[in-house]
Amino acid sequence: MSNTRRLMALSRLLTTMHEVDMAAWDGSKKLVIDTLDAELARLKKDDPNFDAKL
């Protein structure tokens, strides 16, 4: 399981399922999206043909 999936699962568990901090759900989603955006940017930078491979 990737670190991003772990982050998403932990986020979901601590916010919506166990209601530890419901206010953190929006920030948690933003963190996951920012993480995915950064990884996508890194992949595109490392491989100029990345978009063509999709």
Side-chain angles (χ1 to χ4, degrees), residues 5-53:
R5 280 190 180 202
R6 285 186 187 101
L7 176 63
M8 290 169 52
L10 178 63
S11 168
R12 190 171 39 255
L13 286 171
L14 291 176
T15 55
T16 60
M17 294 186 143
H18 295 294
E19 299 180 7
V20 172
D21 185 359
M22 292 302 292
W25 180 235
D26 290 334
S28 176
K29 289 188 291 185
K30 182 178 180 339
L31 176 62
V32 170
I33 291 169
D34 290 347
T35 302
L36 292 172
D37 284 343
E39 183 64 13
L40 180 61
R42 185 192 64 79
L43 290 169
K44 286 182 177 183
K45 180 181 164 210
D46 291 348
D47 184 0
N49 295 322
F50 180 79
D51 286 332
K53 292 179 182 179

